[in-house]
Amino acid sequence: MFTGLVQAVGQLAESSRYSIWVSYGDAWPNDPLVLGESVAVNGCCLTVADMAPSQIRFDLSEETLARTSFSKLKPKQRINLERALRLSDRIGGHIVQGHIDCMGKVVARSEAEGSVLFDFQVPEEYVPLLVDKGSVCIDGISLTVIEPNGNKFRSAIIPHTLENTNLKSRASGDLVNVEFDILAKTILRLSEPLLKRK
């Protein structure tokens, strides 16, 4: 379980079909990562499978490759990292499982006063989960949905978030990992049988 508040930005160091090595610099010097722990990597919950100085390896399954943008990563690409939530932590973002629903795409990036606006596009089947002022997780970043229009929506990114996440280097056309709000998914799933009766 995570909150969507990125704690460190690493870089892709090496990749193969079923694994990636991520450099994470000097993040967490007083609380080192351990083998087997869960880390949200661009929003996807992955297990630390191997370690080297300032690098960690994550193994990827076919399901993970099918639902995420990991197969499209390029060397030195910025990667958002968040360690699992402790029960005593503040939940500053929203409840994030690290279970990616689909890949989305950046369709526009524009400057606004005090923020940068990102427009995202997701597959049509996920339109019912786009709620104005609701939550969505993009590459592990807890964001607010603004002005959903069909399968597109906008988010306003404040300077701190831009500087401390991979959004700093994101541009139109880039693929992103998307996890929709678990509350919205649960409500929709539970209400489907009732809607079909009408």
Side-chain angles (χ1 to χ4, degrees), residues 21-132:
W21 280 94
V22 177
S23 299
Y24 63 97
D26 60 355
W28 312 294
N30 301 318
D31 186 16
L33 292 161
V34 297
L35 286 174
E37 81 167 274
S38 296
V39 178
V41 182
N42 276 359
C44 183
C45 181
L46 298 178
T47 301
V48 176
D50 197 1
M51 303 178 71
S54 297
Q55 290 190 346
I56 37 180
R57 192 191 88 217
F58 301 99
D59 294 330
L60 309 174
S61 68
E62 285 288 354
E63 173 70 7
T64 300
L65 290 168
R67 290 206 179 238
T68 68
S69 60
F70 288 133
S71 64
K72 312 291 186 187
L73 289 176
K74 298 172 183 174
K76 297 187 178 179
Q77 188 165 333
R78 290 165 59 92
I79 294 176
N80 295 329
L81 302 171
E82 179 190 356
R83 297 177 78 175
L85 174 70
R86 291 187 177 99
L87 291 179
S88 61
D89 286 345
R90 292 184 181 91
I91 303 177
H94 69 283
I95 294 294
V96 176
Q97 293 182 296
H99 301 166
I100 303 303
D101 293 302
C102 66
M103 281 183 278
K105 185 167 67 173
V106 178
V107 292
R109 173 177 173 161
S110 58
E111 300 290 329
E113 191 171 344
S115 66
V116 176
L117 300 176
F118 276 79
D119 291 342
F120 299 99
Q121 181 177 0
V122 296
E124 290 283 349
E125 63 195 274
Y126 295 102
V127 168
L129 298 172
L130 295 176
V131 179
D132 192 38

Side-chain angles (χ1 to χ4, degrees), residues 133-176:
K133 303 302 183 287
S135 296
V136 66
C137 197
I138 300 290
D139 272 351
I141 309 163
S142 176
L143 298 178
T144 301
V145 174
I146 303 172
E147 302 171 359
N149 182 13
N151 68 334
K152 296 178 183 177
F153 66 95
R154 175 170 286 178
S155 286
I157 312 302
I158 62 172
H160 176 84
T161 302
L162 189 70
E163 187 63 30
N164 292 284
T165 68
N166 69 354
L167 287 177
K168 183 177 182 179
S169 58
R170 288 298 196 189
S172 182
D174 285 351
L175 295 176
V176 294

